[in-house]
């Protein structure tokens, strides 16, 4: 769809798609426009506001709220603008000075303008477009849960999951029921919104867009419709008014790149316009390294991906080694050692059934880990006592003139802490051992889609137990040996 403003015309109102709510001048609007929907601009002749422009897919993007807390919008133009007088209004009817007074000319995207404004308004030394995110190391996946989604999400949060993954893709996900489960957990006092990490996805070529192409003529309009729906579905408050003002998404993941990189870039730049006010960070899924490198190399990309989400399995480029290495390089160079780019793996168990049940080191690790948290606590206390005794011995040794040697901490465990338990009864399941090596060793954030309440509890408990046990003198040596074999299998990028 092409929209041409001729000389003598000016922008005068907003038209939501498909409903119409408009105001014809800069006085206060009688009705409040629904935020975060794609808007067309309506024009009318006006001798006082001369303007001319040409654009394809002219839409409004949501921006941060103004000083009165009212959502504001700005124009997104795909083609070159040659205008000297276009104006836009906020939903209150007042002129939106930070955009309206900016001349829309050249090819610089409004996303870049919005990013610049966010940087100016942010605290000194921070990066509002790439904030530190508190991402759990295991995230509950909601694909294929259908009408059980709300109950399973609620149960997962109750059992300790603090990360939830969903998508605005009705064929395989129920984003609405995901939000229902989250709100129920918040109402029951199990968790607060701030304690959760919620991520969803925009899906290119989703059925909803293909069914009504007239409503979504451009990729940008699809992105805006998808994000709008996600913010509504995942709003943490029950009140519609509260949803408008406070709902946000921790990470919005592009479900896959488009077949052509130009379309992928258009979708990404549309997503950027929501960062950081309604979306905290962006990610992309089902992507190859060349596709990712092409995307981030474009100067119009101002928000770098926080999440790369792919299948973690041998058949996918040998456990996606090159992309995991890219993430590690981003953290060591761009983010100066901070983990701001995370690799998320799905199909971690189902995609590796030929490996984790058969690898000897997985079984050895599963057998070596203590069966209960109390046993781990006993080992921690034993290690602390041994360390204290070693410190005393070191002080005594320093005071001796003969240089006699003594060491109370040996490299081998003894007694009931013997780690070479072979094929005896396992302390944790083989699946939990594989999860631990993947998460704690390879630094992969794992998506876990179990529907079993017991597995929800056990998977989190075992991960915590392994993490504590591997730091004890009895656990360190066995962990290091098993992890070396795991690294030889899946590869481990340099940190």
């Amino acid at each position: 769809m092409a929209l041409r403003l001729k000389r003598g015309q000016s922008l005068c109102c907003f038209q939501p798609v498909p409903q119409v709510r408009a105001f014809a001048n800069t006085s206060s609007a009688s009705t409040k426009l629904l935020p975060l929907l794609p808007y067309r601009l309506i024009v009318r002749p006006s001798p006082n506001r001369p303007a001319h422009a040409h654009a394809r897919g002219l839409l409004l993007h949501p921006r941060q709220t103004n000083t009165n807390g009212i959502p504001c919008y700005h124009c997104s133009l795909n083609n070159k603008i040659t205008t000297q007088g276009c104006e836009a209004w906020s939903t209150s009817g007042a002129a939106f000075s930070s955009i309206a007074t900016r001349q829309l000319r050249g090819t610089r995207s409004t996303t870049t303008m919005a990013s610049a404004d966010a940087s100016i308004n942010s605290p000194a030394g921070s990066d509002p477009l790439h904030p530190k995110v508190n991402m759990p190391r295991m995230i509950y996946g909601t694909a294929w849960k259908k009408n059980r989604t709300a109950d399973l999400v609620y149960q997962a949060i109750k059992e300790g999951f603090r990360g939830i993954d969903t998508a605005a893709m009705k064929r395989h996900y129920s984003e609405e029921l995901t939000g229902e489960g989250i709100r129920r957990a918040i109402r029951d006092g199990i968790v607060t919104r701030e304690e959760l990490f919620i991520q969803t996805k925009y899906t290119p070529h989703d059925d909803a867009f293909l069914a009504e192409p007239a409503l979504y003529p451009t990729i940008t309009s699809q992105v805006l419709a998808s994000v709008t729906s996600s913010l509504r579905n995942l709003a943490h408050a029950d009140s519609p008014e509260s949803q408008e003002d406070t709902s946000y998404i921790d990470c919005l993941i592009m479900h896959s790149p488009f077949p052509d990189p130009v379309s992928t870039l258009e979708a990404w730049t549309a997503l950027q316009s929501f960062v950081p006010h309604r979306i905290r960070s962006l990610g992309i899924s089902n992507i190859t390294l060349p596709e990712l490198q092409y995307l981030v190399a474009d100067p119009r990309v101002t928000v770098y991906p926080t999440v790369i989400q792919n299948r973690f399995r041998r058949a996918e480029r040998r456990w996606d080694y090159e992309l995991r290495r890219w993430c590690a390089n981003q953290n060591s160079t761009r983010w100066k050692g901070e983990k701001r780019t995370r690799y998320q793996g799905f199909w971690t168990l189902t995609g590796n059934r030929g490996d984790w049940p058969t690898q000897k080191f997985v079984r050895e690790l599963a057998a070596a880990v203590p069966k209960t948290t109390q046993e781990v606590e006993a080992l921690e206390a034993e290690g602390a006592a041994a360390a204290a005794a070693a410190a005393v011995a070191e002080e005594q040794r320093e005071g001796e003139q003969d240089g006699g040697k003594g060491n109370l901490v040996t490299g081998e465990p003894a007694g009931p802490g013997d780690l070479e338990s072979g094929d005896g009864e396992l302390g944790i399941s083989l699946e939990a051992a594989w999860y631990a090596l993947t998460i704690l060793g390879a630094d992969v954030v794992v998506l876990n889609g179990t529907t079993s309440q017991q597995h929800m509890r056990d998977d989190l408990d075992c991960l915590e137990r392994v993490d504590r046990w591997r730091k004890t003198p009895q656990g360190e040596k066995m962990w290091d040996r098993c992890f070396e074999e795991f690294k030889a299998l899946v590869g481990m990028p340099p940190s």
Side-chain angles (χ1 to χ4, degrees):
M1 173 183 175
L3 175 64
R4 186 183 301 276
L5 302 184
K6 298 179 180 179
R7 189 177 300 277
Q9 290 183 327
S10 67
L11 315 180
C12 68
C13 64
F14 300 113
Q15 180 187 16
V17 181
Q19 300 86 7
V20 176
R21 289 189 187 182
F23 50 88
N25 53 53
T26 58
S27 62
S28 297
S30 59
T31 59
K32 185 176 181 180
L33 295 177
L34 295 175
L36 309 177
L37 288 172
Y39 285 80
R40 294 191 186 96
L41 293 178
I42 307 303
V43 299
R44 69 175 183 180
S46 173
N48 298 324
R49 298 195 183 112
H52 64 281
H54 62 277
R56 179 171 56 85
L58 187 57
L59 293 167
L60 290 178
H61 284 224
R63 279 185 53 84
Q64 65 185 39
T65 57
N66 62 15
T67 55
N68 297 321
I70 299 173
C72 298
Y73 299 85
H74 67 273
C75 305
S76 173
L77 302 164
N78 296 337
N79 290 352
K80 185 180 295 185
I81 302 303
T82 57
T83 182
Q84 296 283 338
C86 290
E87 295 184 69
W89 286 268
S90 71
T91 55
S92 67
F96 186 26
S97 59
S98 63
I99 291 297
T101 59
R102 196 190 308 273
Q103 301 303 325
L104 304 180
R105 54 179 181 266
T107 58
R108 186 186 181 199
S109 71
T110 54
T111 300
T112 305
M113 296 181 196
S115 301
D117 288 347
S119 299
I120 292 171
N121 296 327
S122 63
S126 67
D127 185 350
L129 301 182
H130 305 95
K132 295 181 182 179
V133 293
N134 185 23
M135 188 184 303
R137 52 195 180 187
M138 186 178 284
I139 294 175
Y140 187 69
T142 63
W144 307 301
K145 304 298 189 291
K146 298 184 179 179
N147 60 351
R148 299 180 62 196
T149 300
D151 291 337
L152 288 170
V153 167
Y154 177 86
Q155 196 65 59
I157 295 173
K158 188 175 180 180
E159 294 301 334
F161 279 87
R162 291 299 178 261
I164 304 295
D165 174 272
T166 184
M169 183 188 190
K170 292 186 177 181
R171 189 191 308 174
H172 299 312
Y173 296 81
S174 178
E175 195 177 58
E176 292 182 52
L177 292 179
T178 298
E180 180 182 319
I182 291 170
R183 286 188 291 275
R184 192 192 311 170
I186 293 174
R187 282 197 306 269
D188 289 354
I190 298 171
V191 73
T192 65
R193 173 63 182 91
E194 291 72 25
E195 293 173 314
L196 292 174
F197 183 88
I198 301 173
Q199 62 184 39
T200 188
K201 306 178 192 76
Y202 153 69
T203 305
H205 305 301
D206 188 39
D207 295 341
F209 304 136
L210 298 177
E212 298 181 284
L215 290 179
Y216 312 104
T218 65
I219 291 172
T220 300
S221 65
Q222 294 175 14
V223 169
L224 295 177
S226 178
V227 174
T228 299
S229 174
S230 295
L231 286 166
R232 181 176 61 250
N233 290 335
L234 300 173
H236 57 280
D238 293 317
S239 167
E241 286 297 320
S242 299
Q243 290 179 18
E244 286 185 10
D245 297 333
T246 64
S247 64
Y248 65 94
I249 295 167
D250 292 286
C251 187
L252 199 297
I253 298 172
M254 192 171 170
H255 216 153
S256 70
F258 282 85
D260 66 286
V262 174
S263 297
T264 300
L265 180 63
E266 181 181 349
W268 190 266
T269 53
L271 289 170
Q272 285 182 150
S273 65
F274 291 91
V275 178
H277 311 296
R278 305 308 293 270
I279 296 172
R280 300 295 187 254
S281 59
L282 298 180
I284 193 162
S285 183
N286 298 296
I287 193 169
T288 64
L289 181 61
E291 290 172 320
L292 179 61
Q293 290 174 325
Y294 187 93
L295 174 67
V296 299
D298 194 286
R300 288 166 288 186
V301 172
T302 58
V303 178
Y304 275 72
T306 293
V307 169
I308 306 298
Q309 187 189 93
N310 276 359
R311 295 179 184 87
F312 182 75
R313 59 176 186 155
R314 184 193 293 269
E316 301 283 337
R317 299 170 292 276
R318 290 196 62 82
W319 291 282
D320 224 6
Y321 175 80
E322 292 298 330
L323 266 172
R324 288 189 290 125
R325 185 172 68 173
W326 184 88
C327 292
N329 289 340
Q330 288 289 302
N331 291 328
S332 63
T333 56
R334 179 177 295 278
W335 308 127
K336 310 300 182 185
E338 294 182 355
K339 292 182 179 180
R340 297 200 185 191
T341 304
R342 304 305 303 271
Y343 181 92
Q344 291 184 1
F346 60 96
W347 286 19
T348 311
L349 293 179
T350 57
N352 294 287
R353 291 195 182 277
D355 289 289
W356 60 263
T358 61
Q359 295 292 337
K360 182 181 178 181
F361 67 85
V362 176
R363 178 168 291 275
E364 289 176 341
L365 179 64
V369 177
K371 296 180 178 63
T372 66
T373 302
Q374 288 73 19
E375 293 178 66
V376 175
E377 291 173 349
L379 291 176
E380 290 174 331
E382 182 181 330
V392 172
E394 180 66 24
E395 291 179 3
Q396 293 174 347
R397 187 165 51 247
E398 290 176 356
E400 294 175 356
Q401 299 300 320
D402 59 3
K405 295 183 179 179
N407 191 352
L408 300 180
V409 181
T410 66
E412 297 294 333
D418 184 6
L419 301 179
E420 300 297 330
S421 54
D423 293 331
E425 187 180 354
L426 302 181
I428 61 174
S429 67
L430 298 179
E431 295 92 331
W434 181 262
Y435 270 151
L437 289 164
T438 302
I439 296 169
L440 303 175
D443 198 30
V444 173
V445 176
V446 163
L447 270 65
N448 183 334
T450 183
T451 59
S452 164
Q453 179 181 352
Q454 186 63 46
H455 286 167
M456 291 176 185
R457 184 183 305 120
D458 289 348
D459 289 343
L460 293 173
D461 174 71
C462 290
L463 185 62
E464 179 65 23
R465 206 183 326 151
V466 173
D467 194 16
R468 294 174 62 178
W469 165 80
R470 68 185 180 130
K471 299 170 185 175
T472 66
Q474 289 86 346
E476 184 178 9
K477 186 176 181 180
M478 174 59 82
W479 169 265
D480 289 346
R481 183 167 67 79
C482 292
F483 181 54
E484 285 301 317
E485 295 186 48
F486 179 78
K487 285 197 298 184
L489 179 69
V490 305
M492 187 65 186
S495 57

